[in-house]
Amino acid sequence: MSEYPGLKNYLADWAGDSETRIAVSRTIEAIAAACVDISALVARGPLAGELGAEKGDNVDGDTQKALDLIANDLIIEAMHNAPVACLVSEELEEPSVIKKGAPLFVTTDPLDGSSNIDTNVSVGTIFSIMPTGQNGDDPCCLLQAGTTQLAAGYVIYGPQTALVMTLGDGTMAFTLDPRTSEFRLTTRVVEITPNTNEFAINSSNSRKWDGHIRAYVDDCIAGEDGPHGTNYNMRWIASLVAECHRILSRGGIFLYPGDIRQGYAMGRLRLMYECNPIAFLVEQAGGAATTGIQRVMDIEPGKIHERVPMIFGSKHEVELVEKYYAGLNPSHERPQLFRNRTLLRK
Ligand code: MG
Ligand code: MG
């Protein structure tokens, strides 16, 4: 076998004779094929036309760029070659019925980070694959908690195009070989370091956050003089896939909490096609994903475009934020802790 096995062979080995696994494999291959086309378009930049041109608003009020719609069409087209009953997409108000009676449904953010297209910053495609359940044609059966996911992943279009995915047993990364248009396995086990001193948050919203998030970030900024007892760096790319890729590569924590801006009580990120697949990847890599008070993958969605607060990354740091929400944060006991600095060390 090659040093870097191709995606198709890898999936065939994994699937064996299992009907469900074969269906999942065919679906991942179809998504990957669409992403090869999206990658080629992204790489051509302005030569491919005005990919960043504004075309309208989606159901959630986000501006749709030309590339958002092209990527959405490519994914829908690909789903017709897969055993998929129904597709939920950021760009579609309602679920799109693909093939009635098929065993799987897919949720996708066809192009994440599209506001970055014109700036040549990494963007991506996120996907999640779930079983259709008992009422395969009933859109209500789409509303499943993230724990039912059979597979999830993203393709990041950066200096390299990479497919990062989980089949429920670890997280792995494939790199696209542009010479052959084939994804090849380059990292078998992606692991997130449990400790970190890098946090990512849009701090321009700080005055609108709740007290827990503000206390946590204040304590990060206080560095080694504060209750965390360590100096932090901050990162903010404003592209979820790029942030997740960095955290999978070298640890870190990402926070998009709810805030008091109109429409942002539950943050900005969508549960079914952004948070759940990212949470699945992160957990399978040894990290954690929470709203602050609940594991993201345990949330029962009420609607397909539902938003939830999203905090994910290095396990110990995510657990630290949960302590702030539980009222057990180091700041809470700051006077006592400052008297004994050794207690402050993580
Ligand atoms: Mg997105
Ligand atoms: Mg998008």
Side-chain angles (χ1 to χ4, degrees):
M1 192 191 274
S2 148
E3 187 186 357
Y4 301 116
L7 177 65
K8 197 178 170 66
N9 288 343
Y10 181 88
L11 289 171
D13 279 353
W14 171 77
D17 298 332
S18 158
E19 267 182 44
T20 303
R21 286 188 173 197
I22 289 168
V24 169
S25 297
R26 283 182 54 204
T27 305
I28 291 173
E29 282 178 49
I31 293 169
C35 291
V36 170
D37 292 341
I38 298 170
S39 177
L41 269 174
V42 170
R44 289 193 72 211
L47 301 175
E50 284 195 57
L51 299 175
E54 294 184 4
K55 294 291 182 185
D57 292 335
N58 68 16
V59 62
D60 223 17
D62 293 341
T63 303
Q64 286 176 313
K65 302 288 185 79
L67 191 56
D68 283 320
L69 300 178
I70 296 169
N72 187 54
D73 288 347
L74 285 168
I75 297 282
I76 293 176
E77 202 181 307
M79 291 302 87
H80 286 281
N81 298 321
V84 169
C86 207
L87 175 76
V88 165
S89 166
E90 180 186 17
E91 306 305 335
L92 302 171
E93 189 168 352
E94 300 291 338
S96 172
V97 175
I98 307 287
K99 208 175 292 164
K100 287 195 171 183
L104 302 177
F105 85 87
V106 169
T107 66
T108 185
D109 179 349
L111 200 81
D112 176 72
S114 60
S115 61
N116 289 315
I117 293 167
D118 289 336
T119 63
N120 206 3
V121 164
S122 298
V123 293
T125 298
I126 310 174
F127 64 91
S128 167
I129 300 174
M130 298 187 182
T132 43
Q134 290 167 339
N135 307 308
D137 300 329
D138 178 356
C140 291
C141 85
L142 301 176
L143 299 174
Q144 301 177 31
T147 47
T148 69
Q149 292 175 103
L150 299 168
Y154 62 77
V155 173
I156 183 167
Y157 313 108
Q160 304 137 28
T161 292
L163 163 66
V164 182
M165 71 172 186
T166 179
L167 302 165
D169 183 19
T171 295
M172 66 211 85
F174 296 73
T175 304
L176 179 66
D177 185 342
R179 297 172 308 176
T180 60
S181 294
E182 188 183 25
F183 283 101
R184 298 176 67 182
L185 181 62
T186 42
T187 309
R188 283 181 184 273
V189 179
V190 175
E191 274 179 300
I192 302 177
T193 164
N195 297 312
T196 184
N197 59 359
E198 265 186 4
F199 69 100
I201 192 166
N202 183 351
S203 60
S204 68
N205 297 322
S206 62
R207 70 193 184 284
K208 314 241 169 105
W209 297 333
D210 64 42
H212 309 294
I213 289 292
R214 219 166 13 210
Y216 166 73
V217 172
D218 283 351
D219 288 347
C220 290
I221 292 170
E224 61 185 4
D225 298 328
H228 299 178
T230 186
N231 292 327
Y232 284 76
N233 276 320
M234 205 195 90
R235 297 283 181 271
W236 185 252
I237 309 174
S239 168
L240 177 65
V241 163
E243 308 273 6
C244 183
H245 202 73
R246 186 192 63 250
I247 287 170
L248 288 169
S249 305
R250 67 179 198 201
I253 187 168
F254 170 96
L255 308 98
Y256 209 120
D259 63 51
I260 58 168
R261 283 176 295 164
Q262 183 145 25
Y264 281 78
M266 299 302 279
R268 175 183 170 74
L269 299 174
R270 272 61 58 99
L271 175 61
M272 293 195 66
Y273 43 83
E274 292 179 315
C275 303
N276 270 339
I278 296 291
F280 196 17
L281 286 171
V282 164
E283 284 197 9
Q284 287 295 318
T290 179
T291 64
I293 54 176
Q294 186 180 14
R295 180 187 178 213
V296 166
M297 289 212 297
D298 283 339
I299 300 170
E300 299 282 347
K303 54 184 183 178
I304 60 173
H305 295 290
E306 182 164 329
R307 298 182 186 202
V308 292
M310 176 70 161
I311 297 159
F312 72 87
S314 294
K315 198 170 194 317
H316 294 168
E317 198 67 18
V318 172
E319 288 168 353
L320 178 62
V321 176
E322 286 177 320
K323 284 185 184 165
Y324 280 77
Y325 275 92
L328 303 171
N329 51 303
S331 291
H332 193 64
E333 299 175 25
R334 194 186 302 238
Q336 181 196 342
L337 289 167
F338 268 121
R339 280 198 294 275
N340 185 353
R341 287 288 304 278
T342 57
L343 286 175
L344 305 175
R345 306 280 173 192
K346 281 181 294 172

